Amino acid sequence: YANLSIQKLKALARGLGVDEEEVFRVARGVCKGKEADGARDQAQVLEVLDLMKEVAQNAVVKTILEELVKLPPNPQKVVLKTVRALKDAEEDDAREREAV
């Protein structure tokens, strides 16, 4: 995680549609919330850190995220729907191949 700059963290927050401060808290390992929410908060911290690591290590994903954050919110939603449709189609194809 050493290669994550402030700009990358801000871009990640925009790409994920979350508050920048939340991403910075996660990057610092600071959990918020009550003790009862601790396990959920910790899981979210780990999930975001894993995602940040993937973005930092994958040039294609990093480029996609950089371009995505330049778009206004509505086109970002279209991109999200498109990505989900592509994922669903791939899963359908995989199921069909397994059935044969």
Side-chain angles (χ1 to χ4, degrees):
Y1 304 108
N3 294 331
L4 294 174
S5 67
I6 290 173
Q7 268 42 35
K8 287 180 183 177
L9 291 172
K10 287 181 176 184
L12 179 62
R14 285 190 305 272
L16 294 173
V18 298
D19 181 59
E20 288 179 2
E21 287 302 315
E22 180 64 19
V23 172
F24 286 113
R25 278 193 295 274
V26 169
R28 289 191 308 268
V30 177
C31 292
K32 66 173 190 161
K34 298 178 182 170
E35 207 170 293
D37 295 330
R40 184 178 51 85
D41 288 344
Q42 184 64 27
Q44 287 175 335
V45 166
L46 295 174
E47 185 179 339
V48 171
L49 287 175
D50 284 343
L51 181 59
M52 290 166 51
K53 181 180 176 184
E54 286 182 44
V55 169
Q57 293 178 342
N58 187 321
V60 173
V61 172
K62 180 181 175 285
T63 301
I64 291 168
L65 184 59
E66 287 170 346
E67 294 300 321
L68 180 64
V69 299
K70 295 175 187 175
L71 295 173
N74 285 336
Q76 286 179 352
K77 291 176 184 177
V78 171
V79 171
L80 178 58
K81 287 180 183 179
T82 303
V83 169
R84 286 180 174 159
L86 289 169
K87 181 180 143 275
D88 290 346
E90 179 59 32
E91 289 172 354
D92 290 344
D93 288 347
R95 279 192 290 275
E96 287 178 17
R97 286 190 299 271
E98 288 176 6
V100 174

